Amino acid sequence: MNKDTLIGFLLIAVVLIGFSWWNQPSEEQIEAARKQDSIAAVQQELAAKAQKEAAALAAKAQTGDSVASTAIDTTALFRQALTGTSQKVMLKNGKLELTLDTKGGVIRKAVIKDFKSIDGASDVTLFDEKDQNLTFMLAGKQDNIITRDLYFTPSEVSDTTVTMTAVAQNGGSLVMRYRLGQDYLLSMSLQAQGLANTFAPSYKEVEMAWTDHCRQQEKGYSFENRYTSIYYKESQGGTDKLSESGDQEEATEEQTDWIAFRNQFFSIALISKDNFNKGAQLATKMDEKGSGYLKYFDARMTTAFDPTGAKPSEFEMYIGPNNFRLIKDVEQQSTFGKDLDLEQLVDLGWWLLRWINRWFTLYVFDWLTGFGLNMGIVLILITILLKVITFPMVKKSYMSSAKMRVLKPKFEEATKQYDKPEDQMKKQQEMMSLYSKYGVSPLSGCLPMLIQMPIWLAMFFFVPNAIELRGESFLWMSDLSTYDPIVEWGTNIWGIGDHLSLTCILFCGAQLIYTWFSMQQQKDQMVGQQAEQMKMMQWMMYIMPLMFFFIFNDYSSGLNFYYFVSLFMSAAIMYTLRKTTDDAKLLAILEANYQANKNNPKKQSGLAARLEAMQKQADAMREQQRKR
């Protein structure tokens, strides 16, 4: 493709893009269309759902199967309990306040104490009555019992306990009991009394419909959404989750110990003593930015139920912060005797990264925070500690590069006769031989640096999930758990958002400086075509900080600050090593190695030997072709 053709294509692209931009609808038109589409979709969904529920109820009313819908059903058995007055009952301790409603007999509001909310309040309201609902559904022989339609009578009320009872026409009852523990664990049960004849003999399970409109609790909508989803724990397996990046529906393939609605720093986990049966239907749906919500969660599951009332269906609910140590302690309070693994709600990364964070970063973080230090200081100290630990590897990597740098003139002189394309293998063979005789390895400069990469990535997961940073200020950063804008505007710009984060700019600037140091170091050691290839690569390396800006502008200032300090220190270490390295002395040592090894034909690396064998094979093939 010649230059004129390329320019022509570019002009056509500019015209098409400009025309598309000129003819795009206004924000008002887009919003109006979106609202109209949303209304139509909701109306269609409600109509289809109502039709489906009516058919399901008619088909299953006389069987022992679980109720397949949540349609409102006026039952004869609980006719009296269908009317009443809604009353609020509060359970509370020093860390949690739960408001229960006698209409439905379930929790309507949860307030986590001593965590500041996004609007500046001293406590976080995780949900209220318009956000969350939990409904139990039982399929009787004649009637379907749906708890959200019933009015319960509270008794045995205290600050931490309450019993909710819905009385049936035959004198039986449906009883729900609650007991709040010392912190964030709530015990609850569902039990039928005097209702055995209401159900088919084969009826052994209760269906549950649990929904939650997950509130936005942090300033950064996009960033918080990255850590918001439905998690679940398989009874005979590990923990899994639905995708955080969009709408998703999924059915569990195995029984599960618990299902949790999780956002970045808080979770609600529902635990079943007898497990939730496989085939639980889980769904998440994204909410628009500015709505005050992140996602809509929907979980439909079944678990064991004893219609005779001899054994209640027992549950526990964790309602609290995503703090690894705290969740481990709360899990010990569970009476179900299971290895719940609830600490998996704190996302510490993939298997290797999680291992680093679990057995190193967490302990260092706990140790430093135990001194009562500001969280910004803690991040700096963690960075310094990691630099001290990895310094031997960094120095080894640098010294390897320095050896290659001082030997570059000798390598160029020794291989200048191999400039033809067909001589490249001979050139590589000669260079491998020289590497062996001088006692250097071209790979030793890379491998130690790669060892540091898992630590860098581990912090990528650890910092955004560290609730200890939430609401903590340092220098100009008012909250280390979210972005720190120096400029904000009302409109969303693609790739940037509605703000510029100062720590992101500093991080990208430090990345640019570090890249320049690295490029200079590598350029000084490249020989022949390697140097030419390096010129092309360096432009790609310089583009990376720009790419990082578009990725990390929404990320937490704590993470960007850590990367800024880490890269700044790395550049400073590299600069110091460069200034303190005596090239003449280093070259003298390498010359001594060369003199000791030049007459030793066995002093040849494995790679050099393989290259020599390949060269001989290539020469033999060329000789055969010449004879033919």
Side-chain angles (χ1 to χ4, degrees), residues 588-600:
I589 295 172
L590 294 172
E591 287 290 358
N593 291 341
Y594 179 81
Q595 294 300 324
N597 298 325
K598 68 177 182 178
N599 296 321
N600 183 5

Side-chain angles (χ1 to χ4, degrees), residues 112 288 368 414 474 511 608:
I112 301 177
E288 291 185 3
L368 292 174
F474 181 65
Q511 176 70 28

Side-chain angles (χ1 to χ4, degrees), residues 60 220 291 354 372 390 497 563:
K60 297 190 175 185
S291 65
R354 185 174 184 84
T390 58
Y563 283 153

Side-chain angles (χ1 to χ4, degrees), residues 23 42 56 86 146 162 178 306 352 358 360 383 398 432 564:
N23 286 277
V42 170
S86 173
I146 302 174
V162 65
Y178 295 89
D306 182 3
L352 176 60
R358 172 68 180 87
F360 174 77
T383 310
Y398 173 80
M432 288 296 108
F564 162 67

Side-chain angles (χ1 to χ4, degrees), residues 382-527:
I382 288 178
T383 310
I384 294 174
L385 179 61
L386 290 174
K387 292 302 176 186
V388 170
I389 293 173
T390 58
F391 179 75
M393 293 183 290
V394 173
K395 186 176 181 180
K396 182 178 180 181
S397 174
Y398 173 80
M399 292 308 297
S400 177
S401 299
K403 291 175 183 178
M404 300 292 291
R405 183 183 69 247
V406 299
L407 290 173
K408 179 180 178 181
K410 294 185 176 295
F411 286 171
E412 288 179 336
E413 179 65 25
T415 60
K416 64 182 180 181
Q417 69 269 31
Y418 302 118
D419 286 339
K420 296 179 181 180
E422 61 269 21
D423 294 335
Q424 290 305 304
M425 188 171 291
K426 289 183 178 180
K427 183 175 183 177
Q428 291 297 324
Q429 182 183 346
E430 179 65 22
M431 290 184 67
M432 288 296 108
S433 178
L434 289 173
Y435 288 150
S436 298
K437 292 175 181 178
Y438 279 107
V440 298
S441 171
L443 297 178
S444 61
C446 304
L447 295 178
M449 296 301 294
L450 292 176
I451 295 175
Q452 298 181 82
M453 188 58 67
I455 298 176
W456 213 67
L457 291 174
M459 295 300 288
F460 177 82
F461 286 93
F462 180 82
V463 174
N465 287 286
I467 193 172
E468 292 86 352
L469 300 180
R470 186 179 185 273
E472 291 292 319
S473 61
F474 181 65
L475 299 177
W476 67 89
M477 296 165 279
S478 59
D479 187 346
L480 288 167
S481 69
T482 187
Y483 61 83
D484 56 320
I486 52 171
V487 180
E488 290 186 277
W489 52 86
T491 342
N492 187 66
I493 299 177
W494 181 86
I496 298 178
D498 56 5
H499 66 276
L500 290 178
S501 173
L502 178 56
T503 51
C504 180
I505 295 172
L506 292 174
F507 158 45
C508 294
Q511 176 70 28
L512 193 63
I513 295 172
Y514 180 76
T515 299
W516 183 84
F517 272 114
S518 299
M519 291 297 101
Q520 290 298 115
Q521 182 173 312
Q522 294 181 30
K523 184 174 66 174
D524 291 342
Q525 68 187 50
M526 296 298 177
V527 179

Side-chain angles (χ1 to χ4, degrees), residues 65-313:
D65 297 336
S66 62
V67 179
S69 71
T70 58
I72 297 177
D73 183 26
T74 305
T75 66
L77 182 62
F78 281 91
R79 186 184 303 112
Q80 187 175 347
L82 289 172
T83 58
T85 303
S86 173
Q87 302 178 44
K88 299 297 189 290
V89 178
M90 182 176 291
L91 304 181
K92 59 183 179 179
N93 55 29
K95 299 178 180 179
L96 187 64
E97 270 186 14
L98 302 176
T99 302
L100 284 72
D101 194 341
T102 56
K103 174 67 182 298
V106 291
I107 307 168
R108 295 297 187 189
K109 184 177 181 180
V111 176
I112 301 177
K113 297 182 180 180
D114 301 326
F115 286 92
K116 291 183 179 179
S117 68
I118 191 173
D119 57 5
S122 58
D123 301 321
V124 167
T125 299
L126 202 55
F127 62 85
D128 62 19
E129 57 187 6
K130 68 179 181 295
D131 301 330
Q132 183 168 149
N133 189 46
L134 175 62
T135 301
F136 295 91
M137 295 166 286
L138 301 165
K141 289 185 291 187
Q142 300 295 329
D143 302 300
N144 295 300
I145 305 168
I146 302 174
T147 58
R148 75 175 183 187
D149 303 331
L150 304 179
Y151 287 87
F152 289 77
T153 301
S155 62
E156 302 175 359
V157 180
S158 70
D159 282 346
T160 57
T161 61
V162 65
T163 298
M164 297 280 193
T165 305
V167 179
Q169 298 300 111
N170 67 351
S173 61
L174 197 63
V175 182
M176 301 174 69
R177 294 184 174 88
Y178 295 89
R179 179 177 59 82
L180 180 61
Q182 60 186 10
D183 36 46
Y184 302 103
L185 193 66
L186 175 72
S187 299
M188 51 188 290
S189 66
L190 174 72
Q191 187 175 19
Q193 295 180 349
L195 300 177
N197 295 330
T198 303
F199 304 99
S202 60
Y203 189 74
K204 298 295 182 182
E205 62 183 31
V206 56
E207 184 171 353
M208 304 168 64
W210 185 28
T211 60
D212 179 49
H213 211 175
C214 184
R215 291 187 174 193
Q216 180 180 342
Q217 301 289 356
E218 315 304 325
K219 182 170 65 175
Y221 165 85
S222 300
F223 188 63
E224 187 179 2
N225 239 326
R226 291 185 179 101
Y227 301 92
T228 301
S229 187
I230 297 180
Y231 282 57
Y232 59 92
K233 163 70 167 55
E234 293 180 349
S235 301
Q236 301 299 323
T239 306
D240 206 347
K241 62 181 178 179
L242 272 63
S243 171
E244 298 98 337
S245 59
D247 300 350
Q248 185 180 358
E249 294 184 6
E250 183 177 311
T252 59
E253 297 179 354
E254 303 293 338
Q255 290 189 343
T256 54
D257 286 329
W258 52 261
I259 296 171
F261 297 157
R262 177 198 189 270
N263 68 2
Q264 185 179 2
F265 291 124
F266 303 98
S267 291
I268 313 162
L270 184 60
I271 309 160
S272 173
K273 182 176 183 178
D274 298 309
N275 306 332
F276 295 115
N277 299 325
K278 66 179 181 179
Q281 300 291 325
L282 310 176
T284 64
K285 187 174 183 180
M286 294 275 288
D287 275 288
E288 291 185 3
K289 185 176 182 179
S291 65
Y293 293 93
L294 301 171
K295 291 183 174 76
Y296 183 79
F297 295 143
D298 192 336
R300 306 295 174 102
M301 54 275 194
T302 61
T303 190
F305 175 75
D306 182 3
T308 68
K311 177 185 176 183
S313 299

